[in-house]
Amino acid sequence: MELNEFLRSLDDLANQAEQELSAANSQEAFEEARVKFVGARSGQLKALQKQLGALPKEAKKDGGQRLNETKNRIQSALDQADQRLKSNAANTRTGPQVDATLPGIRQHVGRTHPITQTIEHLKAIMGRLGFAVVEGPEVEDIWHNFVALNIPEDHPARDPLDNFYLGLAEATSKEAGDQAHLLRSQTSTVQIRVMEQQAPPVRIISLGRVYRPDEPDATHFPMFHQMEGLWVDRNVNMAQLKSVLRLFANNYLGGDVHIRFRPSFFPFTEPSVEADFLWNGNWVEFGGAGMVDPNVLRAVGYDPEEYTGFAFGLGVERLCMGRHGVTDIRDLYRNDLRFLHQF
Ligand code: DAH
């Protein structure tokens, strides 16, 4: 055999091996090619190697060198194909290939609860009207929840069936008196705490949880939120109360919301009213309000001859539900993500 012919055969073999191995797309095809080209017994490389001996003496060196190169080329084609098939197998095991350059799938991100959002909104509106935000404790004593608010001992609002007293027997006993504790049933408690701490003028709101042992239904829940408002100064009057509530309603519910007062009774206000907003064609009650009762002013050491004030207490859930069209208060506390994601 001529040297040239031998070299050409080697090159042809390497080219063919590279082509077939790069096209091999299964372990079987890879194995078949491997046996065909480099199989120990019948591989084509082996066959050519045998022909090396038949070359003229002076051609053996060049022929041997090319044979080695051919071996290396085929081996690296084998390695590449092997690598490729292994990494394909790994990818199919873990699912489809991921294109890391594609925009990601948006993860659900946590967000504030609709009631928290409402509270922030209410604070912002009332802040623009000049009301400072104050907080009070949820565990209250009898003095702040009832006595100072002019709610006498025999008043039905103090009934154990309507309140979460803590340590019920002691709390309702005569000796416990004003020292007994309960989960506050209203945010009006904060009025007392603020007025005990500072002299007039006072212009505050307080937002927070209140508790009453109500059976849950579409409009009741044993825990809910109120926004309490209090403005005490010289010459504060009922017209200002109505203006503030109307401005608030316009801001919160949007547009020109009509409001109306219906005569009512609360021990801590005189006169007292229920405040209704005209919402989607219906009058909806959003809370109570009135002029702070002189007895309350006296209880905190204010002179009712010098100062007057108005107060109001609105239901936060009701405001949130009115604005967002929620019809069942329990939806707010089921923690169903399908509901919460809508806010
Ligand atoms: N505390 C009352 C309630 O829980 C609401 C209320 C009525 C608050 C009149 C007030 C007020 O400040 O003046 O039903």
Side-chain angles (χ1 to χ4, degrees):
M1 190 196 252
E2 287 284 327
L3 174 64
N4 278 346
E5 198 190 329
F6 181 68
L7 296 182
R8 209 179 315 116
S9 302
L10 284 172
D11 290 347
D12 285 350
L13 184 67
N15 290 340
Q16 202 192 339
E18 283 170 352
Q19 204 181 335
E20 283 193 34
L21 282 164
S22 71
N25 54 11
S26 70
Q27 201 57 44
E28 289 77 4
F30 172 82
E31 189 54 24
E32 202 179 298
R34 191 188 66 76
V35 171
K36 174 173 162 188
F37 295 112
V38 297
R41 261 184 266 145
S42 56
Q44 294 185 16
L45 188 67
K46 193 83 185 172
L48 282 172
Q49 197 175 343
K50 280 180 190 151
Q51 292 183 23
L52 182 67
L55 286 180
K57 204 172 169 209
E58 65 285 8
K60 279 198 172 119
K61 187 173 170 237
D62 286 349
Q65 202 171 357
R66 186 67 62 90
L67 182 72
N68 276 338
E69 286 168 12
T70 305
K71 250 188 221 169
N72 291 341
R73 278 178 68 187
I74 296 176
Q75 188 55 50
S76 73
L78 281 165
D79 291 343
Q80 272 180 32
D82 187 41
Q83 273 298 314
R84 180 169 47 79
L85 290 169
K86 275 187 184 140
S87 83
N88 283 354
N91 283 340
T92 42
R93 262 203 301 283
T94 55
Q97 291 223 20
V98 175
D99 181 350
T101 64
L102 285 176
I105 297 164
R106 221 176 119 215
Q107 299 291 319
H108 282 307
V109 179
R111 60 191 82 185
T112 49
H113 190 274
I115 287 297
T116 309
Q117 291 177 26
T118 304
I119 287 174
E120 292 308 315
H121 193 179
L122 301 181
K123 283 181 185 170
I125 293 171
M126 296 308 291
R128 289 198 293 273
L129 295 176
F131 286 78
V133 180
V134 290
E135 300 210 350
E138 289 178 26
V139 173
E140 263 298 2
D141 52 39
I142 302 299
W143 167 258
H144 291 95
N145 200 85
F146 298 125
V147 181
L149 285 164
N150 201 33
I151 303 175
E153 199 178 333
D154 55 358
H155 195 279
R158 292 173 68 157
D159 194 307
L161 289 176
D162 292 327
N163 292 281
F164 285 110
Y165 286 99
L166 304 175
L168 190 60
E170 307 91 84
T172 49
S173 74
K174 273 244 169 313
E175 306 82 71
D178 298 351
Q179 291 317 302
H181 288 82
L182 77 166
L183 298 180
R184 68 180 176 191
S185 60
Q186 49 185 354
T187 46
S188 304
T189 54
V190 186
Q191 294 183 26
I192 304 301
R193 289 193 173 271
V194 171
M195 290 190 287
E196 282 173 339
Q197 294 293 320
Q198 71 174 84
V202 169
R203 202 194 314 184
I204 57 100
I205 52 164
S206 187
L207 288 129
R209 297 188 182 96
V210 298
Y211 302 85
R212 292 177 197 175
D214 287 328
E215 196 64 43
D217 62 25
T219 55
H220 294 85
F221 206 72
M223 182 280 301
F224 58 100
H225 296 73
Q226 289 184 328
M227 174 168 74
E228 192 77 18
L230 175 71
W231 187 344
V232 181
D233 204 344
R234 293 191 171 86
N235 303 318
V236 172
N237 62 43
M238 198 111 175
Q240 290 162 341
L241 167 62
K242 201 166 188 180
S243 301
V244 164
L245 287 181
R246 175 143 191 218
L247 279 172
F248 164 75
N250 288 347
N251 267 280
Y252 181 70
L253 295 171
D256 188 13
V257 180
H258 290 270
I259 81 166
R260 88 179 168 192
F261 281 175
R262 279 178 295 116
S264 185
F265 174 80
F266 298 103
F268 33 90
T269 44
E270 183 59 36
S272 305
V273 297
E274 309 266 4
D276 300 341
F277 300 162
L278 187 57
W279 172 245
N280 288 338
N282 298 316
W283 286 106
V284 184
E285 186 196 320
F286 279 92
M291 298 304 295
V292 180
D293 193 290
N295 284 341
V296 174
L297 295 175
R298 256 179 238 117
V300 296
Y302 285 10
D303 179 359
E305 299 300 325
E306 195 178 351
Y307 295 103
T308 53
F310 68 68
F312 58 86
L314 306 182
V316 174
E317 277 75 1
R318 204 166 271 195
L319 288 165
C320 173
M321 290 162 73
R323 191 160 191 273
H324 297 290
V326 177
T327 51
D328 191 326
I329 189 175
R330 292 167 296 187
D331 286 337
L332 291 167
Y333 298 110
R334 277 192 244 271
N335 278 343
D336 185 331
L337 291 180
R338 290 167 300 182
F339 174 82
L340 295 175
H341 274 142
Q342 297 175 52
F343 293 88

